[in-house]
């Protein structure tokens, strides 16, 4: 059987919520075109209300689209809805687990709902991977929020789907368990599982994702490899530590300066217009004696803010 090139394909996807007595009509998705490569770790980022959850709910069959087409593992969600949904596992933002079940019972029940034969079930493997072995027979109501979220991840994997969608999977999870979760997810990806991740922890997305789409106001404003996306920002910082700590950042013509802790300050410059040497020359011209310098490249947060909040005033966020 030939595997599809794309795990998920959306073309012209529109979702419009009709007006009610108390709320106006809302356009949640405005013509989304998105192709998620098979085998990738794909980041789907955007501010609250951007349309990410609506998109995921359409994939999961929880929300009906208004227009457009969607395929999951080359299965059209209109023509083959059951097959399409069988190809994904979804971990939603909201914690939803039967508090009167144990984690083991929850996974066994979920596997039964998907028609997984008992001989093919991976309950113990999933419990161990999520660090829940010692809680396997405790009632779900006794689990912490982080444990319940890990149980949700395990439930999404019971039918061994080729696509796993993680909607804010590490919210409320401590650092050690977050690392354990990501180790497992990376392992799944190496086995060929396509991972779609939404998260507000942008450092996670930058580290884990090989491609990222940023959604704002129901539209895809960027969809590129992580490396290419980071190159959109042509600014860089030089952090200067002077011999004598300063109380205010010096004024430098053509550069933006900002006071840092310990009397140091940063100078922001555009890489296409200036160089580090020009920045240092401008600093020396003010009479500041330099003790040490460090450079800072833009990160995903800088790009994200530029493409979302930076676009709120109608400007092209990639230009002046």
């Amino acid at each position: 059987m030939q595997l599809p090139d794309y795990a998920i394909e959306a073309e012209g996807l529109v979702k419009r919520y009709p007006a009610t007595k108390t709320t106006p009509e809302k356009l949640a998705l405005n013509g989304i075109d998105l192709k998620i490569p098979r085998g990738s770790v794909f980041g789907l980022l955007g501010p609250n209300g951007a349309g990410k959850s609506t998109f995921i709910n359409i994939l999961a069959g929880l929300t009906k689209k208004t227009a457009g087409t969607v395929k999951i593992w080359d299965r059209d969600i209109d023509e083959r809805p059951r097959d399409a949904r069988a190809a994904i596992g979804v971990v939603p933002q909201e914690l939803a687990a039967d508090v009167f079940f144990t984690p083991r019972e929850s996974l066994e029940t979920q596997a039964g709902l998907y028609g997984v034969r008992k001989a093919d079930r991976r309950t113990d493997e999933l419990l161990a991977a999520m660090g829940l072995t010692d809680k396997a027979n405790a009632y779900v109501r006794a689990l912490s929020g982080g444990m319940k979220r890990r149980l949700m991840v395990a439930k999404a994997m019971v039918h061994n789907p080729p696509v796993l969608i993680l909607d804010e999977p590490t919210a409320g999870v401590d650092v050690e368990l977050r690392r354990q979760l990501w180790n497992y997810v990376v392992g799944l990806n190496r086995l060929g599982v396509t991972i779609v991740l939404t998260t507000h922890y942008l450092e996670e997305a930058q580290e884990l994702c090989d491609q990222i789409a940023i959604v704002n106001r129901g539209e895809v404003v960027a969809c590129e490899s992580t490396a290419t996306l980071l190159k959109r920002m042509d600014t860089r910082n030089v952090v200067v530590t002077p011999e004598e700590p300063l109380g205010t950042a010096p004024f430098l013509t053509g550069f933006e300066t900002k006071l840092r802790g310990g009397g140091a300050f940063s100078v922001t410059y555009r890489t296409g217009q200036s160089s580090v040497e020009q920045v240092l020359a401008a600093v020396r011209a003010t009479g500041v004696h330099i003790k040490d310098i460090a450079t800072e490249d833009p990160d995903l947060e800088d790009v994200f803010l530029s493409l979302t909040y930076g676009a709120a005033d109608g400007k092209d966020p990639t230009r002046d």
Side-chain angles (χ1 to χ4, degrees):
M1 179 180 176
Q2 185 175 358
L3 296 176
D5 292 331
Y6 298 102
I8 295 172
E9 296 177 79
E11 292 186 9
L13 184 60
V14 174
K15 176 58 184 176
R16 182 179 287 105
Y17 291 98
T20 67
K21 291 182 179 180
T22 57
T23 59
E25 180 183 85
K26 179 182 178 182
L27 183 62
L29 298 178
N30 187 18
I32 292 286
D33 293 324
L34 201 59
K35 292 186 177 182
I36 299 178
R38 170 176 53 85
S40 64
V41 180
F42 190 93
L44 184 64
L45 309 182
N48 291 333
K52 305 185 301 298
S53 293
T54 298
F55 179 69
I56 291 172
N57 287 339
I58 289 173
L59 297 178
L62 300 176
T63 298
K64 289 186 176 181
K65 58 186 175 62
T66 303
T69 61
V70 179
K71 291 182 180 180
I72 303 172
W73 212 246
D74 208 25
R75 304 162 185 177
D76 190 286
I77 66 171
D78 292 328
E79 299 173 0
R80 302 171 61 188
R82 289 175 62 88
D83 290 340
R85 288 197 290 272
I88 62 170
V90 180
V91 183
Q93 287 189 41
E94 299 79 13
L95 293 174
D98 193 321
V99 296
F100 297 104
F101 278 16
T102 67
R104 184 182 299 282
E105 290 169 341
S106 292
L107 296 188
E108 286 290 314
T109 300
Q110 188 82 352
L113 292 173
Y114 274 100
V116 181
R117 297 182 305 174
K118 286 193 174 183
D120 297 329
R121 295 179 187 178
R122 303 179 298 136
T123 299
D124 288 335
E125 174 193 334
L126 292 170
L127 289 170
M130 295 298 108
L132 294 171
T133 300
D134 60 339
K135 299 290 185 181
N137 298 310
Y139 285 118
V140 169
R141 64 174 178 265
L143 302 182
S144 67
M147 290 178 179
K148 290 176 182 175
R149 191 165 296 280
R150 283 181 281 144
L151 177 59
M152 299 282 288
V153 176
K155 288 178 67 176
M157 291 302 302
V158 295
H159 58 300
N160 200 29
V163 183
L164 179 61
I165 299 176
L166 303 171
D167 193 1
E168 300 290 345
T170 56
V173 178
D174 65 43
V175 174
E176 182 59 34
L177 295 178
R178 184 180 299 167
R179 185 181 298 113
Q180 181 182 2
L181 172 61
W182 287 133
N183 286 340
Y184 181 70
V185 168
V186 169
L188 287 175
N189 180 248
R190 288 172 179 163
L191 293 174
V193 177
T194 302
I195 309 296
V196 181
L197 168 68
T198 77
T199 180
H200 283 97
Y201 298 109
L202 298 183
E203 67 277 7
E204 286 184 346
Q206 182 172 335
E207 180 179 353
L208 294 165
C209 299
D210 40 54
Q211 189 169 340
I212 291 173
I214 296 179
V215 180
N216 192 34
R217 299 178 180 180
E219 298 180 353
V220 176
V221 295
C223 184
E224 298 167 343
S225 71
T226 304
T228 301
L229 197 59
L230 292 172
K231 291 178 181 178
R232 278 179 171 250
M233 298 293 290
D234 66 345
T235 59
R236 203 178 188 194
N237 288 333
V238 176
V239 181
V240 179
T241 302
E243 292 285 356
E244 298 291 333
L246 301 180
T248 58
F251 174 78
L252 304 179
T253 302
F255 300 107
E256 179 184 339
T257 60
K258 185 177 180 180
L259 191 67
R260 298 286 187 97
F265 61 94
S266 62
V267 183
T268 302
Y269 71 99
R270 293 191 176 279
T271 54
Q273 299 175 0
S274 305
S275 65
V276 173
E277 181 54 42
Q278 288 174 308
V279 170
L280 296 182
V283 171
R284 294 190 189 98
T286 66
V288 172
H289 297 283
I290 300 172
K291 180 180 180 181
D292 193 15
I293 66 166
T295 58
E296 295 176 342
D297 290 320
D299 59 17
L300 185 57
E301 181 176 354
D302 296 318
V303 179
F304 178 83
L305 292 174
S306 173
L307 289 170
T308 54
Y309 297 99
D313 55 7
K315 296 179 180 178
D316 181 345
T318 63
R319 300 178 183 272
D320 279 336

